[in-house]
Amino acid sequence: MDLLNTLVDKGLRRELPSREEALAVLATSDDELLDVVAAAGKVRRQWFGRRVKLNYLVNLKSGLCPEDCSYCSQRLGSKAEILKYTWLKPDEASKAAAAGVAGGAKRVCLVASGRGPTDKDVDRVAKTIDAIKSENEGVEVCACLGLLDEGQAERLRGAGADAYNHNLNTSEATYGDITTTHTYADRVDTVKKAHAAGLSACSGLIAGMGESDEDLVDVVYGLRELDPDSVPVNFLIPFEGTPLAKEWNLTPQRCLRILAMVRFVCPDVEVRIAGGREVHLRSMQPLALHIANSIFLGDYLTSEGQAGKADLDMIADAGFEVEGTDRVTLPEHRAGSGCGSGSACAPEAVSETEPESVAGEARTDLVSVRRRGAGTDLAPNA
């Protein structure tokens, strides 16, 4: 296809595709899917070889969030029967992180529900970062604490954080349909604060919330403009008890096309397959590794992922290798752009639809609420 040849050439030159080209990727047919994956794979291998970076989530504080994000099981008014607990102590968080590092994770992502951290919360997270780094040499730490006030990004950077995650999630045009307690501009502001403080910016999206192709392209172009080092691509996990519980709009083919579009628009950044990969990609997860160069190991914030060993087996069986702490993730021209870029950095069609019986129903058979790891007495999945 001329389209794919053009997109590969642009990706190898780090040139931005046109919006029409990005939309065309999402509109390709199932018959063209392997060609799309192969083309995106050429761009992925140019910048990241066959390495897969493993990241591990530690949910520092679960549930009871005052924000009303429709996609979130921790939202205000959520009836999802998730784990709810207040802040983990630094030693508890460090123990949870150690399980992920032992499983091969290079980055630990510390997440806390809420609108944003208080200064006391930042102090608490600083102690947690110190505990994790003192026990795990070479590990990167990313914080994800919500909207940041002035000076908080600098304090996290000074405490040893390498990166900060704050996702845009969806397009500016549709953001108000998903969340009313804060704005798209608020999220952009926090990503800019992290970048300005010298933290490696991590910002991505959630697909599958009923958005259009145009919305997906809009949010990815918005991310390209912000220039984060890492772009997590989440696929909506429709939790029973949330407003989007019946939004089953994704198929494995659709997910692969979305990942490919992100890779073409953001060719040289860490594209991470994040929440929902097991639910929506299912047996086609290995194909997604040809496009993305990063995944989460084990469980997510409030849902369970596939077994950590299964993740590692999948990577090996697909012919990829786990990226070690001795390797810098980003290509050389990006590696100095922000801290956290590497260990050396200091502080549609009918054929795509789900079975008819699934439409309009919550899928409790596919979504497993997390009952192990952080906040419990059970061993974590790593």
Side-chain angles (χ1 to χ4, degrees):
M1 293 174 65
D2 290 341
L3 167 68
L4 296 179
N5 290 333
T6 297
L7 287 169
V8 169
D9 288 343
K10 287 186 173 183
L12 299 183
R13 299 196 304 268
R14 293 183 286 138
E15 182 181 333
L16 181 66
S18 69
R19 290 181 56 84
E20 292 73 20
E21 289 166 339
L23 286 167
V25 173
L26 297 178
T28 52
S29 70
D30 286 354
D31 289 342
E32 299 164 316
L33 183 63
L34 290 181
D35 293 331
V36 172
V37 172
K42 290 180 182 178
V43 179
R44 180 247 202 269
R45 289 192 299 277
Q46 165 73 16
W47 302 115
F48 300 98
R50 302 190 71 81
R51 292 175 284 122
V52 177
K53 182 175 181 177
L54 297 182
N55 308 267
Y56 191 70
L57 284 166
V58 176
N59 198 357
L60 296 177
K61 179 168 71 77
S62 184
L64 308 175
C65 182
E67 302 297 287
D68 68 353
C69 307
S70 299
Y71 51 81
C72 185
S73 60
Q74 304 182 76
R75 73 186 296 272
L76 178 69
S78 170
K79 294 180 173 58
E81 296 180 355
I82 61 169
L83 289 169
K84 297 181 178 69
Y85 52 86
T86 190
W87 289 92
L88 297 182
K89 293 181 174 62
D91 62 323
E92 294 172 328
S94 181
K95 182 178 179 181
V101 174
K106 178 176 178 176
R107 173 172 288 188
V108 173
C109 304
L110 303 176
V111 188
S113 61
R115 179 178 178 83
T118 64
D119 287 341
K120 181 179 179 181
D121 293 337
V122 173
D123 290 339
R124 192 193 320 263
V125 173
K127 293 176 182 176
T128 300
I129 293 170
D130 180 66
I132 290 172
K133 289 207 162 188
S134 64
E135 295 293 329
N136 301 281
E137 184 177 357
V139 71
E140 300 171 5
V141 175
C142 177
C144 178
L145 311 173
L147 301 172
L148 293 175
D149 289 334
E150 293 297 331
Q152 290 184 326
E154 287 78 7
R155 290 178 59 198
L156 288 167
R157 174 75 181 88
D162 299 290
Y164 196 84
N165 166 261
H166 200 59
N167 295 328
L168 298 187
N169 290 330
T170 193
S171 70
E172 184 172 14
T174 59
Y175 198 84
D177 297 333
I178 300 299
T179 306
T180 65
T181 48
H182 60 268
T183 66
Y184 180 93
D186 290 332
R187 288 187 169 266
V188 169
D189 178 67
T190 286
V191 176
K192 288 181 176 179
K193 280 187 171 77
H195 227 157
L199 292 164
S200 177
C202 173
S203 188
L205 65 143
I206 304 174
M209 298 190 291
E211 69 283 336
S212 67
D213 286 1
E214 288 76 11
D215 291 322
L216 285 170
V217 171
D218 282 349
V219 68
V220 177
Y221 272 67
L223 290 165
R224 165 87 182 219
E225 185 175 346
L226 283 175
D227 195 31
D229 290 328
S230 176
V231 174
V233 180
N234 296 277
F235 301 110
L236 177 70
I237 301 176
F239 274 93
E240 188 174 14
T242 65
L244 298 183
K246 296 181 180 180
E247 291 288 337
W248 289 90
N249 304 308
L250 297 171
T251 64
Q253 296 89 346
R254 172 77 167 164
C255 294
L256 289 170
R257 281 191 278 271
I258 291 168
L259 286 168
M261 185 270 287
V262 174
R263 173 58 73 197
F264 290 131
V265 176
C266 304
D268 59 338
V269 307
E270 177 190 340
V271 175
R272 184 182 310 158
I273 320 170
R277 66 178 165 91
E278 298 92 341
V279 175
H280 296 292
L281 281 163
R282 300 190 287 278
S283 62
M284 295 179 76
Q285 290 181 70
L287 270 184
L289 294 176
H290 289 271
I291 304 171
N293 62 295
S294 180
I295 65 171
F296 280 110
L297 174 72
D299 294 335
Y300 301 98
L301 296 176
T302 60
S303 66
E304 294 184 353
Q306 67 185 19
K309 184 178 185 303
D311 288 335
L312 298 176
D313 288 346
M314 175 182 71
I315 291 168
D317 289 347
F320 293 90
E321 60 181 20
V322 172
E323 181 178 291
T325 56
D326 59 330
R327 298 293 299 273
V328 174
T329 299
L330 298 176
E332 186 176 355
H333 63 271
R334 292 190 65 96
S337 62
C339 219
S341 301
S343 58
C345 189
E348 300 92 350
V350 174
S351 63
E352 288 195 33
T353 58
E354 291 290 327
E356 189 172 333
S357 61
V358 171
E361 299 178 6
R363 294 298 304 275
T364 54
D365 58 322
L366 288 177
V367 179
S368 298
V369 174
R370 180 172 69 81
R371 302 294 185 201
R372 59 195 176 195
T376 77
D377 295 327
L378 299 179
N381 173 27

